Amino acid sequence: MSQPQHMHTFCDKLSINFTQTSQYNSNRETLLSSLRDRSSLGTYYNATVGLSPDTVHGMFLCRGDITKQSCSNCVNTATLEITKNNCTNIKDAIVYYEECMVRYSSVSFFGLVENGPWSSRFSVSSFPDSLFNPFQRTLSDKVEQLIILATSQSSLSSLTPYYVRDRNRVNEYDGSYTLDTMVQCSPDLDPANCSVCLRLAVQGVSSCCNNARIAQFYIPKCFLRYDTSGLPITQSPSGSFSVHAMKGNEIYVRIFITAMTTSLLALAGL
């Protein structure tokens, strides 16, 4: 089995530190052990351990397109990574892998949409940035369809809520390719906030990975991934499988407001 692909680990340096002999550390270890134990049973789990002021809240979220074994493998790896290095004595941390995310905090974050920290990876090769290349519109239309499907009643009642993946052939003026697109939200969100989160991810991809042929964007409560394949060799330079990695503490507030406004207008039927 391939090893989980680590993207970024974030430790909130503004949170209060704790010692290895503290009750908080004991509660954190209990929480992370609980996440490991539940990771073979499903793609999502959250838990709260301990009494204030030593309460620890935590969760994991695995991609809906991986096996239970791969999910368990990723969560086990992530729960070890998140307590190492700069996060050893930090009360709030989140780690992103390509296959999953794991998080713990002294403050409850369940049900909340957050615009960071974020992590992305995208291919060096990209579609031409011109008015005559319709890739951006094609991707935007497809992701919008998936957001609607992901927040539908049928998605909520599925084995993997808020997860939708689509693979289809795209025919354009200069050739055709296969577009494989996936969106997913954490099940602790309601449909409206899932929609907001995914639109934040859309804005994030637009900002960091413009026209990239392969991209993935992660924020604390949702994922967005897409991949294009089947392009002619002449359109796929040798660097097409190289990737850039980026990270940030937050997506711009103006993007968050735009996404929130779009969601509210959609809910109002305007």
Side-chain angles (χ1 to χ4, degrees), residues 214-244:
I214 301 170
Q216 47 196 328
F217 195 90
Y218 295 72
I219 48 181
K221 292 298 179 69
C222 61
F223 306 139
L224 167 60
R225 294 167 55 90
Y226 72 84
D227 189 344
T228 60
S229 59
L231 291 162
I233 294 176
T234 55
Q235 295 185 28
S236 300
S238 59
S240 61
F241 293 103
S242 299
V243 297
H244 282 316

Side-chain angles (χ1 to χ4, degrees), residues 31-52:
L31 171 78
L32 295 177
S33 177
S34 175
L35 298 184
R36 287 191 288 269
D37 290 344
R38 295 297 295 263
S39 61
S40 62
L41 303 178
T43 57
Y44 171 78
Y45 179 68
N46 71 53
T48 298
V49 175
L51 302 175
S52 180

Side-chain angles (χ1 to χ4, degrees), residues 71-235:
C71 176
S72 180
N73 188 34
C74 184
V75 173
N76 275 267
T77 302
T79 54
L80 297 176
E81 163 65 28
I82 202 171
T83 61
K84 296 190 306 184
N85 304 320
N86 294 331
C87 293
T88 301
N89 298 318
I90 299 293
K91 281 195 170 185
D92 297 89
I94 182 169
V95 57
Y96 294 110
Y97 283 76
E98 289 195 12
E99 297 82 2
C100 72
M101 68 169 70
V102 168
R103 182 182 186 184
Y104 72 83
S105 176
S106 59
V107 179
S108 178
F109 48 81
F110 305 136
L112 302 177
V113 177
E114 298 155 286
N115 64 346
W118 58 265
S119 179
S120 69
R121 280 187 178 175
F122 54 97
S123 63
V124 174
S125 66
S126 63
F127 286 89
D129 188 10
S130 73
L131 295 175
F132 301 102
N133 193 294
F135 174 70
Q136 283 191 350
R137 172 53 58 188
T138 298
L139 178 64
S140 176
D141 290 346
K142 176 54 63 178
V143 171
E144 184 61 27
Q145 291 174 17
L146 297 191
I147 291 175
I148 293 171
L149 289 174
T151 56
S152 67
Q153 191 61 43
S154 59
S155 173
L156 291 174
S157 59
S158 68
L159 292 177
T160 309
Y162 293 139
Y163 161 71
V164 180
R165 182 179 180 182
D166 178 84
R167 183 179 174 87
N168 69 304
R169 195 71 181 170
V170 178
N171 296 305
E172 294 181 346
Y173 72 96
D174 58 349
S176 63
Y177 57 91
T178 298
L179 177 62
D180 190 345
T181 315
M182 186 202 85
V183 298
Q184 184 174 356
C185 287
S186 177
D188 64 299
L189 297 180
D190 60 30
N193 277 326
C194 174
S195 179
V196 169
C197 188
L198 290 173
R199 288 191 169 88
L200 279 171
V202 170
Q203 294 290 343
V205 167
S206 298
S207 298
C208 79
C209 327
N210 189 31
N211 284 337
R213 291 178 178 170
I214 301 170
Q216 47 196 328
F217 195 90
Y218 295 72
I219 48 181
K221 292 298 179 69
C222 61
F223 306 139
L224 167 60
R225 294 167 55 90
Y226 72 84
D227 189 344
T228 60
S229 59
L231 291 162
I233 294 176
T234 55
Q235 295 185 28

Side-chain angles (χ1 to χ4, degrees), residues 44-64:
Y44 171 78
Y45 179 68
N46 71 53
T48 298
V49 175
L51 302 175
S52 180
D54 298 307
T55 306
V56 189
H57 310 273
M59 64 165 276
F60 71 77
L61 178 64
C62 290
R63 279 188 4 225

